Amino acid sequence: MNANDNAQSGSQQPLVIITGASGLIGSRIIARLGQNYRLVGLDVMPPSAGKIHFIETDLTDDASVTHALTESREKFGAAVASVIHLAAYYDFSGEPSPMYDKLTVEGTRRLLRELHRRELNVEQFVFSSSLLVMEPDEKGRHISELSQTRAEWAYPQSKLRAEEVIREERGQIPVVILRLAGVYDEHCHSVPISQQIARIYEKQLASYVFPGDASHGQALVHLDDVARCFENVVERRRQLDKLSICLIAEPDVMSYEELQDELGELIHGREWPTIRIPKTVAKVGAWIQEKTASSEKGKPFIKPWMIDLADDHYAAMISRARSELEWEPAHRLRDVLPEMIEFLKRDPDGFYRENKLAAAE
């Protein structure tokens, strides 16, 4: 760090650079960190609100990343408390896309290499990974950071490859990898749950059947708890190991059957029956629906490839997050579901818009 760097950063708040700053998680982190840190946001579009210096950045482009980190250094100096890397490609279609490699994988490599080239003194690099990189436990037990990885489709596969890139390119930068469960809040903002709510709300045939073991379930985590977790990680940056991996999830997992019953009760005032069907039958049904869907309604959410994964069990042990990050989720999905459904009933069109759902028939 030269004299100019010290002059710019010595007495000011620590600097945090956030990629993907305009996304759902990024926006909530900005609100959480804005009072105690100087924030630089890198994204293709600016955040809707928050105290942050925005630099338009395309992580798939060398020149764009060079420009962004050069501007950050010139304005705020070389000292960086933390780089929070959220930017990634995400598509629930399950179809392969070159963007998984261009943005999630190579964008991560490009970002780390440019941090080194700009000679930024980065105290910490935090990567937003996914719980889906883990191998689910078919016997219904909890998984931990020591469990095997087994990414089954394009999105978690890209996250796992990006983790490998981070190990290759980080140099001496300490790294924290947060394998996040699916995120939700009071307006839902969870693709699988919003789709399930819509199926039950519209009394679709698919809402009555389930292809697999309905006693299994998938961990989630509230958006506010995620933002608080990132805050804890940044605050404890000088106390953590050089490479830390933590699972971030609610330890209380609702089974698919329990979730189905609760949503039916909240939406229609009665439990929602769940009929277990063979996966082969479900695949045929999903294939037929996909081929016969009208262009107005759009393609159905459930794809044939999803059927094999329908009853994967993702329950996470969070003892490491508790001990290393001093983090504990304050919310539980079962307690927030009534607020989600209250929003749906109060403003069905707003719920569908907020969750990017096709209009109810």
Side-chain angles (χ1 to χ4, degrees), residues 85-103:
H85 182 34
L86 306 173
Y89 181 72
Y90 184 82
D91 180 1
F92 234 106
S93 73
E95 296 296 325
S97 168
M99 284 301 294
Y100 282 115
D101 187 66
K102 290 177 64 177
L103 176 55

Side-chain angles (χ1 to χ4, degrees), residues 166-234:
I166 290 169
R167 291 184 179 90
E168 295 168 2
E169 303 287 351
R170 71 185 183 92
Q172 299 302 309
I173 300 175
V175 165
V176 178
I177 294 173
L178 300 178
R179 291 175 175 168
L180 304 178
V183 175
Y184 72 94
D185 66 7
E186 287 75 10
H187 284 178
C188 194
H189 288 133
S190 163
V191 174
I193 293 182
S194 66
Q195 291 285 341
Q196 188 173 2
I197 288 172
R199 290 193 297 270
I200 294 174
Y201 181 67
E202 299 173 28
K203 299 181 180 179
Q204 297 177 20
L205 177 61
S207 70
Y208 294 96
V209 297
F210 188 77
D213 189 340
S215 70
H216 288 182
Q218 188 161 142
L220 288 100
V221 62
H222 193 282
L223 181 59
D224 286 338
D225 288 326
V226 170
R228 184 166 49 82
C229 177
F230 277 93
E231 181 181 38
N232 286 15
V233 169
V234 176

Side-chain angles (χ1 to χ4, degrees), residues 239-258:
Q239 305 169 40
L240 300 175
D241 292 339
K242 296 300 182 183
L243 176 60
S244 296
I245 299 176
C246 291
L247 305 186
I248 305 302
E250 293 172 13
D252 174 34
V253 177
M254 295 183 72
S255 71
Y256 298 110
E257 184 173 20
E258 184 182 8

Side-chain angles (χ1 to χ4, degrees), residues 6 12 20 22 33 54-55 63 65 76 106 126 138 170 181 188 201 203 249 256 298 314 319 331 357:
N6 277 311
Q12 298 181 3
S22 67
L33 299 183
F54 171 71
I55 304 174
V65 177
F76 302 106
E106 293 306 316
V126 189
E138 298 303 330
R170 71 185 183 92
C188 194
Y201 181 67
K203 299 181 180 179
Y256 298 110
Y314 285 96
S319 54
H331 300 78
L357 297 165

Side-chain angles (χ1 to χ4, degrees), residues 111-124:
L111 175 63
L112 280 162
R113 288 184 174 181
E114 201 58 38
L115 289 169
H116 292 305
R117 290 193 186 104
R118 296 304 105 197
E119 297 183 337
L120 294 172
N121 301 322
V122 180
E123 292 188 63
Q124 176 191 71

Side-chain angles (χ1 to χ4, degrees), residues 41-46 53-58 64-65 67-68 71:
L42 311 183
D43 210 331
V44 293
M45 62 181 65
H53 178 80
F54 171 71
I55 304 174
E56 183 176 349
T57 311
D58 179 358
S64 181
V65 177
H67 164 76
E71 179 176 331

Side-chain angles (χ1 to χ4, degrees), residues 264-284:
E265 180 72 35
L266 290 169
I267 295 171
H268 296 298
R270 59 185 174 87
E271 290 186 353
W272 207 247
T274 303
I275 304 169
R276 184 172 179 174
I277 61 172
K279 290 186 176 182
T280 51
V281 174
K283 283 184 179 180
V284 171

